[in-house]
């Protein structure tokens, strides 16, 4: 039975130290218990703090070359792979054609294994036959092997396919993925866009070993919108609200570190200038409108493009806070994941945090 103390039970003789011993012992026990709880709480807090996610990069340039900043960033990456675009595939005049096939500079030296990545247009799969599907898979794998051998690239056991597939080409695209696995005897993976997660019943689940969730391009940069078209976190959360129900559980996360400028002319039409930052707007030939926008003051060449007076430039870039927000959101939804940053470029990796 628990001992209780009240004013009736308290000893009346303050000089009787023997009657005060039980109270002192009880207080000591309470302090020991409190210290145990504090120790357990501190242990739980320290254990619950997630270590940074493993990470690496996409490399999406036609000419393989690494400058010093890119080399340093790649050496620090904690995933032993570099996801490297080898070429695109399109259907031109009814024939499958490789586009933008890589070339290699002598400066491209890395200890990372190369994961060949191939972008395929949707129209490549329109009205494709079973025979053509097999031919396409064989041709893509043959060109990957040729380039890897020609440039002495140490490739991994994976081939990644990037395709913004729709419901109309879904079945033929999935057949191609299966055929590529058979032909190559490699692990075949693919990218996964936000709308393909939200509309998974319509878009289907790709038959691959792993999917790479593209957490960017949340809207078109050519729309008239105040939202950041590279990454609007609220839009992303809406698309991925049920990603914890996605059947494929082997998921890596692709995060953006790139930036660009959206140029708007007098007619309201837009075009992009890649790799612009807000620092580029600090020019005497530009009038700052806000922290991210400026107006061209005189006709001339700006960032390699001819722009007229009155044109506006809006810069979109990604903050550490946005990246952290996305990572925290996904940590509650999917199992531990690696991060692949898009993309490895001196302008994007210099001064950038990767310890998310």
């Amino acid at each position: 039975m628990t001992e209780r103390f009240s004013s009736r039970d308290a000893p009346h003789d303050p000089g009787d130290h023997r009657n005060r011993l039980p109270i002192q012992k009880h207080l000591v026990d309470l302090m020991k218990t409190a210290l145990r709880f504090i120790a357990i709480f501190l242990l739980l807090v320290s254990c619950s703090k997630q270590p940074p996610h493993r990470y690496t990069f996409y490399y999406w340039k036609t000419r393989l070359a690494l400058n010093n900043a890119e080399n340093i960033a790649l050496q620090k990456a904690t995933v032993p792979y570099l996801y490297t675009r080898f070429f695109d595939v399109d259907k031109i005049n009814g024939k499958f054609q490789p586009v933008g096939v890589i070339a290699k500079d002598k400066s491209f030296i890395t200890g990372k294994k190369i994961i060949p990545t191939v972008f395929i247009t949707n129209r490549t799969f329109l009205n494709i036959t079973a025979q053509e599907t097999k031919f396409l898979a064989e041709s893509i794998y043959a060109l990957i092997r040729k380039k890897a051998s020609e440039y002495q690239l140490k490739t991994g056991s994976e081939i990644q396919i990037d395709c913004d597939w729709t419901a109309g080409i879904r079945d033929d695209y999935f057949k191609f993925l299966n055929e590529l696995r058979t032909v190559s005897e490699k692990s075949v993976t693919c990218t996964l866009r936000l709308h393909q997660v939200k509309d998974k019943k319509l878009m289907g689940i790709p038959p691959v070993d792993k999917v790479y969730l593209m957490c960017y391009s949340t809207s078109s940069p050519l729309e008239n919108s105040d939202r950041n078209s590279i990454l609007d976190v609220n839009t992303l959360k809406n698309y991925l609200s049920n990603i914890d129900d996605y059947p494929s559980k082997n998921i890596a996360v692709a995060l953006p570190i790139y930036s660009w400028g959206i140029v708007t002319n007098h007619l309201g039409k837009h075009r992009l200038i890649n790799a612009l930052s807000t620092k580029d707007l600090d020019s005497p030939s530009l009038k700052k409108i806000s922290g991210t926008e400026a107006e061209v003051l005189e006709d001339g060449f700006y960032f390699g493009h001819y722009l007229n007076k009155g044109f506006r430039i809006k810069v979109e870039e990604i903050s550490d806070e946005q990246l952290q927000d996305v990572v925290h959101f996904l940590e509650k939804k999917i199992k531990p994941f690696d991060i692949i940053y898009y993309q490895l470029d001196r302008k994007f990796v210099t001064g950038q945090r990767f310890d998310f």
Side-chain angles (χ1 to χ4, degrees):
M1 182 173 179
T2 304
E3 189 175 10
R4 295 172 183 265
F5 294 99
S6 68
S7 59
R8 292 178 305 175
D9 303 318
H12 296 288
D13 182 1
D16 189 347
H17 297 290
R18 291 173 299 174
N19 290 332
R20 295 172 62 183
L21 288 175
I23 298 176
Q24 292 173 340
K25 184 177 184 300
H26 186 64
L27 288 173
V28 170
D29 290 342
L30 283 174
M31 289 179 65
K32 287 182 178 178
T33 303
L35 288 171
R36 283 195 209 100
F37 276 115
I38 291 171
I40 292 170
F41 173 77
L42 292 174
L43 180 63
L44 289 173
V45 169
S46 64
C47 291
S48 64
K49 187 177 180 181
Q50 296 273 359
H53 291 263
R54 299 196 323 158
Y55 73 92
T56 186
F57 301 95
Y58 278 108
Y59 189 93
W60 216 259
K61 301 174 185 178
T62 302
R63 185 166 187 81
L64 305 185
L66 291 174
N67 57 43
N68 188 54
E70 293 160 355
N71 239 321
I72 292 172
L74 187 56
Q75 287 173 13
K76 291 180 179 179
T78 49
V79 170
Y81 307 115
L82 177 63
Y83 290 80
T84 307
R85 174 200 161 277
F86 269 44
F87 50 87
D88 300 344
V89 176
D90 198 2
K91 185 182 284 184
I92 302 172
N93 297 323
K95 295 183 178 180
F96 304 131
Q97 296 287 345
V99 179
V101 181
I102 56 169
K104 180 175 173 289
D105 185 84
K106 62 181 181 180
S107 67
F108 191 84
I109 301 172
T110 177
K112 304 288 186 186
K113 284 189 175 181
I114 302 299
I115 303 300
T117 304
V118 178
F119 172 76
I120 308 179
T121 64
N122 283 13
R123 66 182 179 184
T124 299
F125 296 102
L126 289 176
N127 304 314
I128 193 171
T129 65
Q131 185 177 1
E132 288 174 330
T133 299
K134 184 177 181 181
F135 172 77
L136 179 63
E138 291 172 341
S139 300
I140 286 175
Y141 183 52
L143 187 53
I144 287 173
R145 291 182 63 188
K146 178 182 177 182
K147 289 299 160 183
S149 174
E150 180 181 349
Y151 298 134
Q152 298 180 333
L153 300 174
K154 189 176 180 181
T155 58
S157 59
E158 175 185 351
I159 297 173
Q160 184 177 131
I161 301 298
D162 179 21
C163 179
D164 188 8
W165 85 86
T166 59
I169 65 165
R170 177 192 67 191
D171 294 342
D172 290 321
Y173 174 57
F174 290 178
K175 289 175 184 176
F176 160 78
L177 292 173
N178 282 323
E179 190 65 49
L180 181 61
R181 181 189 291 108
T182 300
V183 167
S184 67
E185 298 182 342
K186 298 262 189 179
S187 173
V188 174
T189 65
C190 75
T191 54
L192 180 67
R193 286 165 172 78
L194 301 180
H195 72 93
Q196 294 161 347
V197 175
K198 188 173 184 179
D199 301 325
K200 60 180 179 290
K201 289 185 179 179
L202 181 64
M203 295 298 176
I205 310 303
V208 292
D209 301 309
K210 187 175 186 177
V211 292
Y212 291 73
L213 180 64
M214 296 175 63
C215 293
Y216 47 90
S217 297
T218 49
S219 61
S220 170
L222 306 183
E223 295 175 355
N224 290 314
S225 174
D226 293 331
R227 293 179 300 175
N228 188 319
S229 65
I230 296 174
L231 174 58
D232 180 79
V233 177
N234 288 331
T235 301
L236 178 137
K237 289 180 178 179
N238 177 264
Y239 272 96
L240 301 181
S241 59
N242 294 317
I243 192 172
D244 39 337
D245 296 331
Y246 196 76
S248 178
K249 300 303 181 185
N250 195 3
I251 301 175
V253 173
L255 291 178
I257 54 172
Y258 65 94
S259 63
W260 55 32
I262 304 171
V263 178
T264 304
N265 67 12
H266 301 111
L267 300 176
K269 294 185 177 180
H270 309 290
R271 61 171 156 161
L272 294 178
I273 300 178
N274 286 320
L276 283 194
S277 71
T278 52
K279 293 180 181 178
D280 293 315
L281 301 183
D282 296 328
S283 166
S285 299
L286 298 174
K287 176 186 175 183
K288 291 286 285 285
I289 301 171
S290 69
T292 58
E293 292 184 82
E295 182 178 315
V296 176
L297 293 177
E298 55 187 46
D299 297 351
F301 281 95
Y302 297 82
F303 319 112
H305 298 258
Y306 190 83
L307 305 180
N308 294 113
K309 179 181 178 180
F311 281 21
R312 292 196 171 195
I313 305 171
K314 174 188 173 185
V315 169
E316 291 185 337
E317 50 192 358
I318 304 302
S319 68
D320 289 347
E321 290 74 23
Q322 286 174 289
L323 296 176
Q324 189 74 76
D325 197 354
V326 172
V327 169
H328 282 168
F329 170 76
L330 291 174
E331 284 173 344
K332 300 171 186 175
K333 295 283 188 178
I334 58 180
K335 71 176 188 177
F337 52 85
D338 291 340
I339 295 174
I340 298 87
Y341 291 101
Y342 183 87
Q343 65 165 325
L344 182 62
D345 184 287
R346 176 184 58 82
K347 291 185 177 181
F348 304 142
V349 300
T350 301
Q352 174 64 51
R353 273 185 58 197
F354 299 108
D355 57 339
F356 298 105

